[in-house]
Amino acid sequence: MKLKLVAVLFLLFISCSDDDRVIEDLALEGEWILSNVVCYCGFEEDIDFSLTTINFDSSRSMVTVTNESEYAFFRENGEHFYGGQANRINFSDGSVYFFETRGEQLILTYEDNPDIADDEVTFVFTR
C-alpha cells in the first residue's frame, strides 16, 4: 500500500513540474512589426503602425520595444522583463496581455479592467 501511495505522489509531483506553470512563450520568439491597433480610440488616417517593432527573447524573459514614431504603442522604448503563465504575459507595472499566435501573426490583447469603460485594446503584429 505504501508503495502505491509513493508512486501516486511521485506521478503527481512530476505532473506539477515548473514547465506547466510558466508562460508558453517560444512562439513569441523573434521580431514582430505592429500592423494594427484595435481599440475605442481614434488615430490619424495616415498613421504608420509599422514604425513600432517588438523583439521577444524568451531565454531572458525580455521584450525589446522600438517606437520610431512620435507615438508609443504597446510599451515605451526599451527592454521590458515579462513573466506570465500559459498564454498570459504580465509586466512589472501590473499590465497583463493575453497572446495568441496564428502563423505569422501575433495578437496581444490587454486584460481590461471591468471597472473602466473602453480600456480594451488589441495589438496585431506580423513577422
Side-chain angles (χ1 to χ4, degrees):
M1 181 66 176
K2 286 184 180 180
L3 183 58
K4 286 182 182 179
L5 179 61
V6 169
V8 169
L9 290 174
F10 177 74
L11 290 174
L12 220 124
F13 177 76
I14 289 175
S15 69
C16 294
S17 69
D18 286 340
D19 292 337
D20 293 335
R21 289 179 273 159
V22 297
I23 190 169
E24 298 169 1
D25 62 350
L26 290 179
L28 299 173
E29 191 72 31
E31 184 174 86
W32 299 90
I33 300 167
L34 185 62
S35 61
N36 197 14
V37 177
V38 180
C39 62
Y40 294 104
C41 46
F43 297 111
E44 297 174 16
E45 254 183 60
D46 60 346
I47 190 88
D48 187 359
F49 293 119
S50 70
L51 296 174
T52 297
T53 61
I54 58 175
N55 193 333
F56 280 93
D57 181 351
S58 62
S59 67
R60 296 175 40 217
S61 296
M62 179 99 46
V63 61
T64 303
V65 178
T66 306
N67 297 301
E68 297 288 332
S69 76
E70 61 186 285
Y71 304 104
F73 295 107
F74 184 58
R75 306 199 64 75
E76 295 294 325
N77 279 330
E79 294 183 322
H80 304 273
F81 285 104
Y82 68 90
Q85 186 173 16
N87 69 334
R88 295 178 73 216
I89 299 172
N90 60 337
F91 292 96
S92 59
D93 65 358
S95 60
V96 177
Y97 296 84
F98 294 100
F99 75 86
E100 179 182 356
T101 56
R102 296 180 189 162
E104 298 296 306
Q105 189 176 64
L106 168 64
I107 301 166
L108 293 171
T109 303
Y110 178 70
E111 183 179 64
D112 67 319
N113 181 340
D115 296 331
I116 300 174
D118 300 339
D119 69 334
E120 299 88 4
V121 62
T122 298
F123 300 94
V124 180
F125 293 87
T126 56
R127 287 208 191 263

